Amino acid sequence: MEIRDPIHGFIQYDEKEERIINTKVFQRLRNIKQLALANYVYPGALHTRFDHSLGVMHLAKKIAEKLDLKKNKIKIVSLAGLLHDIGHGPFSHVSEQILETYTENLQNLLSKWKADNAHELMSILIIEFNEELKKAINDDKKRKEVIKILQKHKKRFLEKDIISGPLDADKLDYLLRDSYFTGVKYGVFDIDKIIESMDKIPIAEGIFQIGIKQEGIYALEQLLLAKYHMNTQVYHHRIRRIADAMVVRGVELAIKGGLEKLKEIFSIKDNEEFINKYVEFD
């Protein structure tokens, strides 16, 4: 099975991935814009966490294959790429500021679930507690391995680096995708050359990290410049940051005004009841 994508061409997926994509909790990502209110600055920036997640799945699979991972590991990495952003709340990263404000025991939860930040914590909790997603994955061992890749660890390992590292599938997709939909050409780089140049670099016995062969150095320099320019021109654009601040302020005023239901959604709890409420919002 395959789907057409404006960034990567055809993205292929198997039956298990299709079941996950068709869940209500994953389809919810269609209504969460990748760049929140950036479309008020760049009118074309209407792409979503849904298409970004498909792109990360696609690239994670390509990178894992290039690094000669075993078939079962490629499958886990692919699922981790698909689900890495499943926990994003309304307005994408903007909601993280609100979650951090209203979750009383956030640091304890981050430590307990080995998460770096609020949206990664929510991704882990949704994979752990959402019954529809559990049924779609239909393999507790694979599900736990996906969670492990999304968690924070003292020592990095190759599967995690593919999803969240210095040269990960997430970054490779969002830079190209955000550049395309905002119309900002600074985010373009030679992704095919970067993946083709990837190699496993041993850092200890049986432990590897992602490296780049010498012929890929110019493509890598392109990537670094693309990230720098996208940060200055898009992600930290002054009007976009003002719009984000207005959203945060609006939610805070609504909660202070007595909208308890909204406060409940932004006060993280690690249980099924909270997760069921959270995923109703986009």
Side-chain angles (χ1 to χ4, degrees):
M1 293 169 280
E2 61 186 17
I3 190 168
R4 190 187 292 271
D5 177 68
I7 309 302
H8 307 300
F10 285 107
I11 292 176
Q12 296 182 338
Y13 55 94
D14 62 22
E15 289 183 8
K16 184 186 287 289
E17 289 157 353
E18 183 182 45
R19 288 199 305 271
I20 293 169
I21 291 166
N22 286 336
T23 59
K24 183 180 178 183
V25 68
F26 192 87
Q27 289 290 318
R28 160 184 170 274
L29 298 179
R30 288 184 183 272
N31 297 324
I32 299 178
K33 284 184 286 190
Q34 176 80 1
L35 295 178
L37 299 180
N39 61 296
Y40 284 97
V41 182
Y42 303 101
L46 298 169
H47 55 305
T48 67
R49 291 284 158 183
F50 181 87
D51 37 300
H52 167 61
S53 296
L54 295 178
V56 175
M57 174 190 72
H58 171 74
L59 291 179
K61 197 178 299 183
K62 285 184 69 172
I63 294 169
E65 289 171 348
K66 178 64 180 66
L67 299 176
D68 294 322
L69 267 64
K70 293 180 180 178
K71 191 173 181 181
N72 66 315
K73 292 294 185 182
I74 293 173
K75 186 68 213 167
I76 298 299
V77 167
S78 175
L79 291 176
L82 185 62
L83 294 171
H84 80 290
D85 271 353
I86 196 77
H88 267 291
F91 305 105
S92 289
H93 284 291
V94 180
S95 64
E96 282 189 57
Q97 300 173 52
I98 309 165
L99 289 167
E100 289 167 0
T101 299
Y102 290 99
T103 302
E104 295 178 3
N105 58 341
L106 180 62
Q107 290 306 315
N108 290 336
L109 287 170
L110 291 174
S111 177
K112 177 181 176 181
W113 292 97
K114 299 178 183 176
D116 269 323
N117 53 52
H119 96 262
E120 288 183 8
L121 172 63
M122 286 310 309
S123 292
I124 292 165
L125 293 179
I126 288 172
I127 297 168
E128 177 67 32
F129 291 109
N130 184 263
E131 287 299 325
E132 184 190 22
L133 197 53
K134 283 185 185 180
K135 188 175 179 181
I137 296 172
N138 195 31
D139 187 324
D140 275 346
K141 185 179 178 183
K142 276 190 173 69
R143 189 170 57 81
K144 295 293 185 184
E145 287 188 59
V146 167
I147 289 174
K148 182 181 177 183
I149 289 176
L150 300 182
Q151 288 176 320
K152 179 172 62 175
H153 301 274
K154 289 182 180 178
K155 293 183 179 178
R156 305 195 68 85
F157 54 98
L158 200 57
E159 293 91 337
K160 179 162 183 65
D161 272 354
I162 293 172
I163 303 301
S164 177
L167 196 60
D168 57 43
D170 182 30
K171 192 181 292 94
L172 295 178
D173 183 84
Y174 76 64
L175 286 172
L176 288 177
R177 195 171 298 278
D178 295 347
S179 173
Y180 177 87
F181 283 101
T182 58
V184 176
K185 302 299 183 184
Y186 304 126
V188 177
F189 56 91
D190 190 347
I191 188 170
D192 293 328
K193 188 62 179 178
I194 285 177
I195 294 176
E196 180 192 317
S197 304
M198 285 184 177
D199 201 1
K200 291 189 292 188
I201 306 298
I203 55 174
E205 188 174 348
I207 301 174
F208 300 87
Q209 67 180 24
I210 298 176
I212 289 284
K213 296 175 183 175
Q214 188 170 358
E215 65 262 24
I217 191 168
Y218 298 113
L220 183 60
E221 287 177 349
Q222 268 190 314
L223 171 64
L224 294 173
L225 283 171
K227 187 180 179 188
Y228 169 75
H229 287 305
M230 288 298 287
N231 270 315
T232 56
Q233 294 295 310
V234 178
Y235 306 135
H236 297 295
H237 190 286
R238 69 189 188 285
I239 303 299
R240 190 225 161 159
R241 294 177 71 184
I242 290 168
D244 289 352
M246 290 172 72
V247 170
V248 172
R249 181 67 174 147
V251 173
E252 288 175 345
L253 287 172
I255 291 172
K256 287 176 182 177
L259 198 57
E260 286 300 316
K261 187 176 181 181
L262 197 57
K263 185 177 180 179
E264 289 175 10
I265 295 305
F266 289 107
S267 304
I268 302 173
K269 306 284 190 303
D270 55 346
N271 58 54
E272 187 179 345
E273 182 183 2
F274 169 76
I275 294 301
N276 289 339
K277 288 180 183 177
Y278 182 85
V279 298
E280 291 297 319
F281 283 72
D282 55 29

